[in-house]
Amino acid sequence: MNPSAESSQPGITYLNHETTVLSWLLTRDHKRIGVMFLVGVILSLLLGGIFAMVIRIELLTPGPTVISPMTYNRMFTLHGVVMVWLFMIPAIPSAFGNFVLPIMLGAKDVAFPRLNLASFYIYLAGALLTVFGMLWSGADTGWTFYTPYSTTSPTALTPILLGVFIIGFSTIITGLNFITTVHTLRAPGMHWTRIPLFVWTIYGTSVIQVVATPVLGMVLLLVFIERVLGSGIFDPSRGGDPVLFQHMFWFYSHPAVYIMVLPAMGVISEVVCAFSRKNIFGYKMIAASTFGISFVGFFSWGHHMFVSGQSTFGSGVFGVLSMLVAIFTAIKIFNWVATMYGGSIDLRVPLLYVLGFIFLLMFGGMTGVAVATTSLDVHWHDTYFIVAHFHYIMVGAVLMAFLAALHYWWPKMFGRTYPERWSFLAAITIIFGFIVTFLPQFLLGNMGMPRRYYEYPREMQWLHVLSTAGASLLAFGFTLIAVYLLWSLRYGPVSTPNPWGSRGYEWFSGSPPAPHNFTRAPSFEREVHDYTVPEAPRVY
């Protein structure tokens, strides 16, 4: 059966076999859980984006514009908390990973369906508790909760700390579930060298989640205990050590960068192959570089602490290890470009986001090598240069890959297509808007503008105005995406089972898939993304 020749959805899909609200709320279907995670992270992105726009509007003028200094402190804290803990960390693994990973492996579901549902409700409980803390009185410590101020802040930091602590359990459960699924539920013929690269990145991410997240839980719990009981663990006036908090926090939070970015790289590998009509160049090197990044990421947390008083030798070691990550990242970029080279390029919207991802990753990665150099970082530390750097690497890369995945797998998830012209306009607007938003911030940091400052010298205003203009373009682009995707759910043309002609394993199932993914066992006799044969993959 040729998917490209079919023009209608399968009769029974995961969307229509049970349609009550309770059937969704109590589902154990990984696809429905992935969709619920998708809704949660999109709402988090909306909330974080609103906080970001308030910040950018306030910074239009050197003095007070629309909010007070205390409200400004709360805005940048809540923006960071929502974007990091509620959006970027779960965005791709919990939403798209849940949906497509079992299908890519030829499995009916994940290894522990009940735990999978529990992970969603744990995430939801943590998110609601975090939002409750925001509504109560917010927080003003920054998303990093640095001590000793976080132990004495008069704001409602306690529920936010507990909310992030609870979300960590969801992360650990999801990681354990994916690791077990990859090891135990691969279909016959799915040996280790045929596992799709998206699955490899989710696997590597899951290892980081399971190993590093408990450390975050411990340090947040210690801050909570110090706030409630006054134990003095991080308070220097009581013999505590605030630098100990930084070591524990960044031991998790630096690998957490790769919890965000590695799944994004997996999405890019899938989309590059699909729209280049070529098997990936250097499959084994890309898979190996995934684990190189995961491993080295655990040993480079100290580059966040060059000005904390650590030894010169320690700073040098952490700087070299941080630069080593750039080598593994470059392996991926070179192989993606080599895959596209000589390929039959089909420039569709998902590939447009891939190009934006590669640009932002390369630009942000080069600035990452720069800030890993101690002599430069001591000047840029806590300036807007750092803000721009991690937005290019973390936010830009995750957003580009998230939007690429959303547009690439939208027909797979919902059986509908979206307007191509509108989606092209939105993609160009978002890529251009992101560059315009954060490129001026590199210049601001180089001029000495500190991060998190409410006021600034008047000669820096034009760069802030330019940055706010870029943020406005971003807001317009995301609004456009929301409009046409919501329209697509109701009025979009029905998708064929494989609208892109992709040879990825997930397209072996229907679009949208059946309740248990396949009506008969799939066969994996071909390599993933094998375009050496003329026909499209068979739907099972």
Side-chain angles (χ1 to χ4, degrees):
M1 169 167 58
N2 190 336
S4 60
E6 296 193 11
S7 58
S8 61
Q9 299 181 35
I12 299 178
T13 71
Y14 83 97
L15 291 172
N16 62 22
H17 77 290
E18 290 181 351
T19 56
T20 63
V21 174
L22 197 61
S23 70
W24 276 84
L25 295 178
L26 300 180
T27 185
R28 285 173 286 172
D29 186 341
H30 68 96
K31 298 180 291 298
R32 289 191 168 194
I33 295 170
V35 171
M36 291 193 292
F37 265 115
L38 180 63
V39 172
V41 298
I42 288 176
L43 291 177
S44 299
L45 174 61
L46 173 63
L47 183 60
I50 291 172
F51 291 143
M53 283 306 303
V54 173
I55 294 168
R56 289 313 323 162
I57 292 171
E58 171 56 41
L59 292 174
L60 271 173
T61 63
T65 306
V66 291
I67 56 178
S68 67
M70 186 61 180
T71 304
Y72 176 78
N73 290 347
R74 291 173 177 174
M75 283 294 109
F76 70 67
T77 299
L78 301 181
H79 166 68
V81 168
V82 170
M83 290 299 292
V84 172
W85 310 113
L86 272 63
F87 172 68
M88 288 192 293
I89 286 177
I92 296 177
S94 296
F96 298 112
N98 252 316
F99 195 99
V100 303
L101 182 140
I103 304 176
M104 285 180 165
L105 296 175
K108 292 183 178 180
D109 212 311
V110 292
F112 307 114
R114 289 182 177 87
L115 276 179
N116 200 23
L117 180 62
S119 72
F120 170 72
Y121 283 114
I122 292 171
Y123 165 80
L124 184 62
L128 290 176
L129 185 57
T130 302
V131 172
F132 168 73
M134 297 176 188
L135 296 177
W136 186 0
S137 70
D140 62 350
T141 62
W143 72 273
T144 55
F145 311 126
Y146 266 18
T147 56
Y149 181 64
S150 62
T151 62
T152 59
S153 171
T155 56
L157 187 62
T158 300
I160 294 176
L161 288 172
L162 291 178
V164 175
F165 177 79
I166 291 170
I167 291 171
F169 283 97
S170 173
T171 301
I172 294 170
I173 292 172
T174 300
L176 287 171
N177 217 340
F178 287 158
I179 291 171
T180 309
T181 301
V182 172
H183 276 275
T184 63
L185 296 183
R186 301 194 310 277
M190 175 69 71
H191 50 73
W192 288 102
T193 57
R194 282 188 178 172
I195 292 179
L197 288 170
F198 178 72
V199 176
W200 275 122
T201 56
I202 295 294
Y203 184 89
T205 300
S206 299
V207 173
I208 300 175
Q209 289 174 324
V210 172
V211 175
T213 306
V215 180
L216 173 71
M218 287 188 290
V219 72
L220 294 180
L221 195 59
L222 289 173
V223 174
F224 170 76
I225 292 172
E226 183 152 345
R227 283 182 63 86
V228 175
L229 302 178
S231 57
I233 300 170
F234 303 120
D235 186 352
S237 66
R238 301 186 182 187
D241 185 3
V243 177
L244 174 62
F245 171 88
Q246 293 189 36
H247 278 290
M248 295 180 71
F249 180 83
W250 288 115
F251 181 82
Y252 163 80
S253 293
H254 187 72
V257 173
Y258 309 117
I259 294 177
M260 307 171 204
V261 175
L262 279 177
M265 292 174 169
V267 170
I268 301 308
S269 295
E270 297 296 324
V271 176
V272 163
C273 291
F275 294 99
S276 299
R277 299 293 186 265
K278 278 179 66 179
N279 196 358
I280 194 72
F281 183 90
Y283 170 91
K284 292 182 179 179
M285 289 301 294
I286 293 182
S289 65
T290 297
F291 292 95
I293 292 173
S294 302
F295 180 75
V296 176
F298 278 105
F299 299 97
S300 51
W301 78 90
H303 77 239
H304 296 273
M305 303 169 58
F306 284 159
V307 298
S308 67
Q310 67 185 5
S311 69
T312 304
F313 176 79
S315 295
V317 171
F318 282 125
V320 171
L321 289 171
S322 300
M323 294 178 188
L324 189 58
V325 174
I327 296 175
F328 293 119
T329 304
I331 290 172
K332 291 182 180 291
I333 294 175
F334 285 135
N335 282 280
W336 292 330
V337 173
T339 302
M340 289 187 282
Y341 179 77
S344 179
I345 301 295
D346 183 11
L347 186 58
R348 309 291 283 274
V349 172
L351 188 61
L352 202 57
Y353 284 115
V354 167
L355 299 178
F357 174 93
I358 292 175
F359 172 79
L360 294 177
L361 186 68
M362 289 182 62
F363 198 107
M366 288 187 291
T367 61
V369 172
V371 298
T373 306
T374 312
S375 58
L376 295 174
D377 184 73
V378 294
H379 297 286
W380 286 329
H381 188 81
D382 267 348
T383 70
Y384 262 82
F385 194 96
I386 302 299
V387 175
H389 158 68
F390 72 71
H391 274 85
Y392 263 64
I393 283 288
M394 286 166 46
V395 186
V398 172
L399 273 180
M400 293 299 123
F402 179 81
L403 293 172
L406 186 64
H407 287 80
Y408 179 55
W409 284 317
W410 184 265
K412 167 62 60 182
M413 299 176 77
F414 301 107
R416 301 277 181 171
T417 58
Y418 45 81
E420 192 81 10
R421 290 184 179 180
W422 288 109
S423 59
F424 257 93
L425 174 62
I428 293 171
T429 302
I430 285 176
I431 294 170
F432 181 71
F434 195 92
I435 294 171
V436 173
T437 301
F438 295 104
L439 191 61
Q441 295 182 18
F442 283 111
L443 303 178
L444 284 167
N446 220 31
M447 294 168 66
M449 170 75 188
R451 65 191 292 192
R452 299 172 175 167
Y453 268 38
Y454 179 74
E455 297 183 354
Y456 56 86
R458 185 163 296 277
E459 57 266 24
M460 296 180 178
Q461 183 177 7
W462 71 277
L463 288 170
H464 278 290
V465 171
L466 188 59
S467 184
T468 302
S472 302
L473 284 176
L474 277 174
F476 171 75
F478 280 114
T479 302
L480 192 58
I481 290 175
V483 169
Y484 69 68
L485 287 184
L486 289 173
W487 174 89
S488 167
L489 285 176
R490 183 70 182 269
Y491 304 105
V494 175
S495 171
T496 59
N498 188 0
W500 313 118
S502 171
R503 307 294 168 84
Y505 287 157
E506 72 274 23
W507 298 99
F508 278 31
S509 65
S511 297
H516 295 291
N517 299 336
F518 308 97
T519 54
R520 61 188 175 92
S523 174
F524 295 99
E525 68 274 6
R526 296 178 184 165
E527 301 292 334
V528 64
H529 285 291
D530 183 2
Y531 293 91
T532 60
V533 289
E535 71 270 15
R538 189 177 299 274
V539 171
Y540 293 92

PDB file of all heavy atoms in Angstrom, residues 270-287:
ATOM      1  N   GLU A 270      15.989  14.105  11.716  1.00  0.00           N
ATOM      2  CA  GLU A 270      14.848  13.517  11.009  1.00  0.00           C
ATOM      3  C   GLU A 270      14.389  14.404   9.860  1.00  0.00           C
ATOM      4  O   GLU A 270      14.134  13.933   8.744  1.00  0.00           O
ATOM      5  CB  GLU A 270      13.693  13.288  11.992  1.00  0.00           C
ATOM      6  CG  GLU A 270      13.979  12.297  13.102  1.00  0.00           C
ATOM      7  CD  GLU A 270      14.218  10.888  12.582  1.00  0.00           C
ATOM      8  OE1 GLU A 270      13.568  10.480  11.602  1.00  0.00           O
ATOM      9  OE2 GLU A 270      15.081  10.195  13.156  1.00  0.00           O
ATOM     10  N   VAL A 271      14.274  15.703  10.121  1.00  0.00           N
ATOM     11  CA  VAL A 271      13.739  16.619   9.104  1.00  0.00           C
ATOM     12  C   VAL A 271      14.718  16.791   7.950  1.00  0.00           C
ATOM     13  O   VAL A 271      14.319  16.849   6.779  1.00  0.00           O
ATOM     14  CB  VAL A 271      13.388  17.974   9.756  1.00  0.00           C
ATOM     15  CG1 VAL A 271      12.930  18.979   8.693  1.00  0.00           C
ATOM     16  CG2 VAL A 271      12.293  17.791  10.804  1.00  0.00           C
ATOM     17  N   VAL A 272      16.017  16.860   8.259  1.00  0.00           N
ATOM     18  CA  VAL A 272      17.023  16.997   7.197  1.00  0.00           C
ATOM     19  C   VAL A 272      16.943  15.826   6.229  1.00  0.00           C
ATOM     20  O   VAL A 272      16.974  16.004   5.001  1.00  0.00           O
ATOM     21  CB  VAL A 272      18.436  17.122   7.804  1.00  0.00           C
ATOM     22  CG1 VAL A 272      19.504  16.855   6.758  1.00  0.00           C
ATOM     23  CG2 VAL A 272      18.636  18.509   8.401  1.00  0.00           C
ATOM     24  N   CYS A 273      16.836  14.608   6.756  1.00  0.00           N
ATOM     25  CA  CYS A 273      16.740  13.430   5.883  1.00  0.00           C
ATOM     26  C   CYS A 273      15.470  13.467   5.037  1.00  0.00           C
ATOM     27  O   CYS A 273      15.505  13.186   3.834  1.00  0.00           O
ATOM     28  CB  CYS A 273      16.757  12.152   6.719  1.00  0.00           C
ATOM     29  SG  CYS A 273      18.325  11.788   7.504  1.00  0.00           S
ATOM     30  N   ALA A 274      14.351  13.808   5.666  1.00  0.00           N
ATOM     31  CA  ALA A 274      13.064  13.769   4.961  1.00  0.00           C
ATOM     32  C   ALA A 274      13.028  14.741   3.802  1.00  0.00           C
ATOM     33  O   ALA A 274      12.478  14.420   2.734  1.00  0.00           O
ATOM     34  CB  ALA A 274      11.931  14.057   5.942  1.00  0.00           C
ATOM     35  N   PHE A 275      13.602  15.930   3.969  1.00  0.00           N
ATOM     36  CA  PHE A 275      13.479  16.951   2.930  1.00  0.00           C
ATOM     37  C   PHE A 275      14.740  17.080   2.073  1.00  0.00           C
ATOM     38  O   PHE A 275      14.789  17.931   1.195  1.00  0.00           O
ATOM     39  CB  PHE A 275      13.110  18.289   3.563  1.00  0.00           C
ATOM     40  CG  PHE A 275      11.743  18.271   4.186  1.00  0.00           C
ATOM     41  CD1 PHE A 275      11.596  18.085   5.548  1.00  0.00           C
ATOM     42  CD2 PHE A 275      10.611  18.392   3.409  1.00  0.00           C
ATOM     43  CE1 PHE A 275      10.344  18.036   6.128  1.00  0.00           C
ATOM     44  CE2 PHE A 275       9.347  18.353   3.967  1.00  0.00           C
ATOM     45  CZ  PHE A 275       9.203  18.169   5.336  1.00  0.00           C
ATOM     46  N   SER A 276      15.741  16.238   2.336  1.00  0.00           N
ATOM     47  CA  SER A 276      16.889  16.125   1.431  1.00  0.00           C
ATOM     48  C   SER A 276      16.781  14.857   0.590  1.00  0.00           C
ATOM     49  O   SER A 276      17.578  14.657  -0.330  1.00  0.00           O
ATOM     50  CB  SER A 276      18.200  16.100   2.226  1.00  0.00           C
ATOM     51  OG  SER A 276      18.371  17.277   2.974  1.00  0.00           O
ATOM     52  N   ARG A 277      15.824  13.999   0.952  1.00  0.00           N
ATOM     53  CA  ARG A 277      15.624  12.716   0.252  1.00  0.00           C
ATOM     54  C   ARG A 277      16.920  11.897   0.261  1.00  0.00           C
ATOM     55  O   ARG A 277      17.300  11.284  -0.728  1.00  0.00           O
ATOM     56  CB  ARG A 277      15.141  12.942  -1.191  1.00  0.00           C
ATOM     57  CG  ARG A 277      13.823  13.676  -1.303  1.00  0.00           C
ATOM     58  CD  ARG A 277      12.676  12.833  -0.764  1.00  0.00           C
ATOM     59  NE  ARG A 277      11.386  13.462  -0.979  1.00  0.00           N
ATOM     60  CZ  ARG A 277      10.739  14.220  -0.095  1.00  0.00           C
ATOM     61  NH1 ARG A 277      11.299  14.433   1.083  1.00  0.00           N
ATOM     62  NH2 ARG A 277       9.579  14.740  -0.363  1.00  0.00           N
ATOM     63  N   LYS A 278      17.607  11.923   1.409  1.00  0.00           N
ATOM     64  CA  LYS A 278      18.855  11.176   1.544  1.00  0.00           C
ATOM     65  C   LYS A 278      18.944  10.578   2.932  1.00  0.00           C
ATOM     66  O   LYS A 278      18.461  11.176   3.906  1.00  0.00           O
ATOM     67  CB  LYS A 278      20.076  12.096   1.339  1.00  0.00           C
ATOM     68  CG  LYS A 278      20.446  12.368  -0.106  1.00  0.00           C
ATOM     69  CD  LYS A 278      21.644  13.292  -0.180  1.00  0.00           C
ATOM     70  CE  LYS A 278      22.899  12.632   0.367  1.00  0.00           C
ATOM     71  NZ  LYS A 278      24.078  13.526   0.266  1.00  0.00           N
ATOM     72  N   ASN A 279      19.573   9.406   2.993  1.00  0.00           N
ATOM     73  CA  ASN A 279      19.899   8.855   4.302  1.00  0.00           C
ATOM     74  C   ASN A 279      20.935   9.756   4.974  1.00  0.00           C
ATOM     75  O   ASN A 279      21.713  10.436   4.304  1.00  0.00           O
ATOM     76  CB  ASN A 279      20.446   7.430   4.140  1.00  0.00           C
ATOM     77  CG  ASN A 279      20.437   6.667   5.443  1.00  0.00           C
ATOM     78  OD1 ASN A 279      20.069   7.199   6.488  1.00  0.00           O
ATOM     79  ND2 ASN A 279      20.844   5.411   5.396  1.00  0.00           N
ATOM     80  N   ILE A 280      20.947   9.757   6.292  1.00  0.00           N
ATOM     81  CA  ILE A 280      21.843  10.661   7.011  1.00  0.00           C
ATOM     82  C   ILE A 280      23.296  10.312   6.707  1.00  0.00           C
ATOM     83  O   ILE A 280      23.681   9.143   6.604  1.00  0.00           O
ATOM     84  CB  ILE A 280      21.565  10.593   8.530  1.00  0.00           C
ATOM     85  CG1 ILE A 280      22.223  11.753   9.265  1.00  0.00           C
ATOM     86  CG2 ILE A 280      22.019   9.253   9.105  1.00  0.00           C
ATOM     87  CD1 ILE A 280      21.584  13.084   9.040  1.00  0.00           C
ATOM     88  N   PHE A 281      24.107  11.335   6.542  1.00  0.00           N
ATOM     89  CA  PHE A 281      25.539  11.143   6.363  1.00  0.00           C
ATOM     90  C   PHE A 281      26.175  10.995   7.750  1.00  0.00           C
ATOM     91  O   PHE A 281      26.002  11.836   8.616  1.00  0.00           O
ATOM     92  CB  PHE A 281      26.140  12.348   5.626  1.00  0.00           C
ATOM     93  CG  PHE A 281      27.595  12.220   5.326  1.00  0.00           C
ATOM     94  CD1 PHE A 281      28.027  11.656   4.131  1.00  0.00           C
ATOM     95  CD2 PHE A 281      28.553  12.645   6.243  1.00  0.00           C
ATOM     96  CE1 PHE A 281      29.383  11.543   3.852  1.00  0.00           C
ATOM     97  CE2 PHE A 281      29.903  12.533   5.977  1.00  0.00           C
ATOM     98  CZ  PHE A 281      30.321  11.973   4.777  1.00  0.00           C
ATOM     99  N   GLY A 282      26.927   9.912   7.963  1.00  0.00           N
ATOM    100  CA  GLY A 282      27.625   9.726   9.227  1.00  0.00           C
ATOM    101  C   GLY A 282      26.720   9.358  10.381  1.00  0.00           C
ATOM    102  O   GLY A 282      26.812   9.950  11.460  1.00  0.00           O
ATOM    103  N   TYR A 283      25.860   8.359  10.168  1.00  0.00           N
ATOM    104  CA  TYR A 283      24.906   7.939  11.204  1.00  0.00           C
ATOM    105  C   TYR A 283      25.608   7.627  12.526  1.00  0.00           C
ATOM    106  O   TYR A 283      25.223   8.115  13.591  1.00  0.00           O
ATOM    107  CB  TYR A 283      24.126   6.722  10.704  1.00  0.00           C
ATOM    108  CG  TYR A 283      23.275   6.030  11.743  1.00  0.00           C
ATOM    109  CD1 TYR A 283      21.945   6.396  11.928  1.00  0.00           C
ATOM    110  CD2 TYR A 283      23.790   5.010  12.548  1.00  0.00           C
ATOM    111  CE1 TYR A 283      21.147   5.763  12.877  1.00  0.00           C
ATOM    112  CE2 TYR A 283      23.006   4.382  13.501  1.00  0.00           C
ATOM    113  CZ  TYR A 283      21.693   4.760  13.660  1.00  0.00           C
ATOM    114  OH  TYR A 283      20.917   4.138  14.609  1.00  0.00           O
ATOM    115  N   LYS A 284      26.655   6.802  12.462  1.00  0.00           N
ATOM    116  CA  LYS A 284      27.328   6.383  13.696  1.00  0.00           C
ATOM    117  C   LYS A 284      28.007   7.552  14.392  1.00  0.00           C
ATOM    118  O   LYS A 284      28.033   7.624  15.634  1.00  0.00           O
ATOM    119  CB  LYS A 284      28.339   5.281  13.390  1.00  0.00           C
ATOM    120  CG  LYS A 284      27.694   3.968  12.947  1.00  0.00           C
ATOM    121  CD  LYS A 284      28.737   2.887  12.702  1.00  0.00           C
ATOM    122  CE  LYS A 284      28.061   1.574  12.284  1.00  0.00           C
ATOM    123  NZ  LYS A 284      29.069   0.507  12.019  1.00  0.00           N
ATOM    124  N   MET A 285      28.555   8.489  13.633  1.00  0.00           N
ATOM    125  CA  MET A 285      29.220   9.636  14.242  1.00  0.00           C
ATOM    126  C   MET A 285      28.201  10.544  14.926  1.00  0.00           C
ATOM    127  O   MET A 285      28.471  11.078  16.010  1.00  0.00           O
ATOM    128  CB  MET A 285      30.001  10.416  13.188  1.00  0.00           C
ATOM    129  CG  MET A 285      31.237   9.696  12.675  1.00  0.00           C
ATOM    130  SD  MET A 285      32.407   9.325  14.010  1.00  0.00           S
ATOM    131  CE  MET A 285      32.895  10.967  14.498  1.00  0.00           C
ATOM    132  N   ILE A 286      27.031  10.727  14.300  1.00  0.00           N
ATOM    133  CA  ILE A 286      26.009  11.563  14.936  1.00  0.00           C
ATOM    134  C   ILE A 286      25.511  10.912  16.217  1.00  0.00           C
ATOM    135  O   ILE A 286      25.347  11.572  17.252  1.00  0.00           O
ATOM    136  CB  ILE A 286      24.844  11.824  13.958  1.00  0.00           C
ATOM    137  CG1 ILE A 286      25.308  12.700  12.796  1.00  0.00           C
ATOM    138  CG2 ILE A 286      23.680  12.495  14.677  1.00  0.00           C
ATOM    139  CD1 ILE A 286      24.215  13.048  11.814  1.00  0.00           C
ATOM    140  N   ALA A 287      25.276   9.599  16.169  1.00  0.00           N
ATOM    141  CA  ALA A 287      24.824   8.893  17.371  1.00  0.00           C
ATOM    142  C   ALA A 287      25.887   8.963  18.475  1.00  0.00           C
ATOM    143  O   ALA A 287      25.571   9.216  19.649  1.00  0.00           O
ATOM    144  CB  ALA A 287      24.499   7.437  17.035  1.00  0.00           C
TER     145      ALA A 287
END
